[in-house]
Amino acid sequence: MSVTDRPVHPPNASASDPGESDAEASAALSPDETFHILQTFRRRESIRYLLREDGPVKMRDVAEHVAAREHETTVAELTSAQRQRVYIPLYQSHLPKLDTAGVIEYDKPRGIVRPTERLESFRPYLEAAAAPTNAEPDRADREASPNGQRRSVAALGAIVALLLAIAAEALQISGVVFGAAIVALVLVAVAVF
């Protein structure tokens, strides 16, 4: 959506409000809208990147930043496939959603992303999220973590191997030890350290 396509007034305001200022016309997003936008890792990283940059940026640069963060690597070490898997959803979905919400101005044909004044309202949320805590990461971030996936697959493989060894009578252990081993492996499979 280009700047000229965006409504001048919020949906609940009438066009005849003579005292409405530009600041009121670009009112802050509701908490539900804000949290919906911050719901996905790719939108959060796009916003984080735009908050660090000064002025308009190329959409390709946003996609490369997000892909590098998602794959826990650098932009220089990204593969073409990693770039493309992030570029397409950003191009088709995430950046248009940010544009529609008035967080950015996205010139899709030119591949240019311009921050708006609404972008700054996300800074406190992202800074709070970046602060070190003992809180568990959200499910989407945990699932996107290659290390978490490897750990889960390894733990589930160990459970299967343990069960097969007991079934083949190659391993003789008590029920208590067996139960403790299974519980420990399940906790490793679902935990994110």
Side-chain angles (χ1 to χ4, degrees):
M1 174 184 287
S2 70
V3 177
T4 57
D5 295 338
R6 191 171 290 116
V8 175
H9 301 283
N12 60 353
S14 69
S16 62
D17 288 345
E20 183 176 30
S21 69
D22 286 339
E24 291 169 346
S26 63
L29 295 168
S30 73
D32 286 343
E33 292 168 318
T34 299
F35 290 124
H36 178 72
I37 287 170
L38 292 173
Q39 180 178 15
T40 69
F41 174 82
R42 289 177 176 168
R43 286 196 295 262
R44 286 192 305 271
E45 276 308 310
S46 297
I47 291 169
R48 189 173 280 121
Y49 179 79
L50 291 166
L51 284 168
R52 281 196 344 240
E53 297 301 312
D54 188 25
V57 297
K58 294 178 182 172
M59 186 270 176
R60 180 188 74 230
D61 295 339
V62 177
E64 287 179 341
H65 166 80
V66 173
R69 294 278 297 162
E70 189 170 299
H71 293 284
E72 299 177 349
T73 189
T74 64
V75 171
E77 294 175 356
L78 284 171
T79 67
S80 176
Q82 289 171 326
R83 281 182 172 88
Q84 188 173 11
R85 277 194 297 267
V86 172
Y87 184 94
I88 292 170
L90 282 178
Y91 177 83
Q92 293 178 342
S93 175
H94 297 299
L95 294 178
K97 183 178 287 282
L98 293 174
D99 182 56
T100 300
V103 177
I104 63 169
E105 293 173 3
Y106 178 36
D107 187 342
K108 200 172 187 177
R110 290 192 173 118
I112 302 294
V113 179
R114 288 178 185 83
T116 68
E117 290 187 22
R118 274 192 176 171
L119 184 74
E120 195 59 39
S121 68
F122 291 92
R123 188 179 300 276
Y125 297 101
L126 295 174
E127 286 174 352
T133 66
N134 293 330
E136 182 177 326
D138 66 14
R139 194 177 100 197
D141 289 344
R142 189 171 56 245
E143 290 171 354
S145 167
N147 292 334
Q149 290 174 344
R150 285 188 207 110
R151 194 173 18 260
S152 295
V153 169
L156 292 174
I159 291 170
V160 170
L162 182 63
L163 290 173
L164 289 175
I166 291 172
E169 296 182 2
L171 183 63
Q172 300 287 326
I173 60 172
S174 72
V176 172
V177 172
F178 172 73
I182 293 295
V183 167
L185 289 170
V186 167
L187 289 174
V188 169
V190 299
V192 175
F193 297 102

